[in-house]
Amino acid sequence: MSALVTILDDEPAIREMLADALEEAGFRTLSFGRATEFEAALRRATPDVCLVDLGLPDRDGLSLVHRLALEQGATIIIISGRAQVQDRVTGLELGADDYIIKPFDPAEVVARIRARLRSPRPTSSGETARFNGWTAHFDRYALEDETGAETPFSHAEGEVLRLFLESPKRLISRAFMQEKLGGAAGESFDRAMDVRISRLRTKLREDPKNPRLIKTIYGAGYIFLGDVDWSG
């Protein structure tokens, strides 16, 4: 079955334009003008990609993005007229996978969605990995510590964490991350990775000045120093 894309935007013309472009490209779509309708639909449907406008009439779009990142496994792409760098950074920090500024070409949105969905599926056999007192549950997007307490992580953070856990004690360059995770190389991609890695370090209770697990190799990339067990 083709991927399901939900479109949340209060402008009917934009919803129609995106739905037409996506359906022509082979995607299924559901469109909503208000956050309440969208959230109700999530109880009945599980989207692969959520397109979310920040300027919603009934909810703050950024808070909705944060909730989606914590509770849904979908790729989240913000579509917004807010072009300020801080808005983009905040969106990424809250768990969005990408940020597209209005006005846009629908073909660009289709291309970005395809790039996200082309990200390679995990090579590891399971959805659970244990490392250094932690258990990563990729089926429910949660980190469990030795006491059983859980901390949720977003889909975007999970992509980076899985990349580290599948290549422990190996240098992971920015170019390799861009190749595996998709997205256009450049300052915006680098910033997105910085944000996700910083949030992962916080959730893993790392000392930001001297992290034990995710080490930055300046000018080269990152190394994950944990011992990883994917046996389930």
Side-chain angles (χ1 to χ4, degrees):
M1 185 177 292
S2 58
L4 174 63
V5 181
T6 55
I7 303 163
L8 176 57
D9 195 296
D10 65 337
E11 297 182 53
I14 289 180
R15 295 199 301 272
E16 183 177 356
M17 176 178 66
L18 285 170
D20 287 347
L22 287 163
E23 288 169 11
E24 185 176 343
F27 295 101
R28 294 176 296 134
T29 67
L30 291 173
S31 298
F32 308 92
R34 301 176 69 86
T36 49
E37 301 167 353
F38 170 70
E39 290 175 309
L42 288 182
R43 292 193 284 271
R44 303 185 300 273
T46 303
D48 298 285
V49 179
C50 298
L51 300 178
V52 180
D53 179 27
L54 296 184
L56 300 171
D58 58 338
R59 278 283 298 277
D60 173 55
L62 285 173
S63 68
L64 179 59
V65 165
H66 185 51
R67 184 186 153 198
L68 284 172
L70 293 179
E71 297 180 5
Q72 299 289 325
T75 292
I76 303 165
I77 300 177
I78 293 172
I79 295 180
S80 177
R82 302 181 192 175
Q84 291 84 359
V85 172
Q86 187 54 50
D87 287 317
R88 283 179 280 173
V89 170
T90 300
L92 294 169
E93 287 177 337
L94 291 176
D97 296 277
D98 206 346
Y99 195 111
I100 298 174
I101 298 170
K102 295 178 180 179
F104 55 82
D105 184 332
E108 177 190 3
V109 179
V110 171
R112 298 249 197 137
I113 289 173
R114 281 178 168 158
R116 300 303 310 176
L117 295 179
R118 272 200 308 266
S119 296
R121 299 303 300 166
T123 58
S124 304
S125 59
E127 290 296 316
T128 302
R130 292 182 173 82
F131 59 97
N132 298 71
W134 292 93
T135 302
H137 298 280
F138 289 98
D139 55 342
R140 61 177 185 270
Y141 294 88
L143 278 167
E144 180 184 352
D145 68 14
E146 291 176 300
T147 71
E150 293 194 358
T151 302
F153 56 82
S154 72
H155 174 81
E157 292 159 2
E159 286 187 319
V160 177
L161 179 60
R162 189 188 285 276
L163 194 63
F164 285 139
L165 296 180
E166 290 182 339
S167 303
K169 301 177 182 176
R170 289 174 50 194
L171 177 66
I172 298 177
S173 68
R174 294 275 186 154
F176 180 78
M177 296 178 80
Q178 190 272 329
E179 176 188 347
K180 291 296 184 183
L181 300 180
E187 184 178 349
S188 60
F189 177 82
D190 289 346
R191 176 58 179 161
M193 292 304 102
D194 289 342
V195 166
R196 295 176 196 181
I197 290 168
S198 175
R199 289 175 65 85
L200 281 174
R201 283 172 170 158
T202 297
K203 291 175 181 183
L204 291 169
R205 302 169 196 159
E206 295 266 75
D207 178 352
K209 295 181 179 178
N210 185 31
R212 297 176 302 107
L213 290 173
I214 305 174
K215 289 283 190 182
T216 300
I217 309 300
Y218 291 99
Y222 301 92
I223 291 180
F224 184 82
L225 296 178
D227 296 310
V228 184
D229 176 13
W230 283 94
S231 61

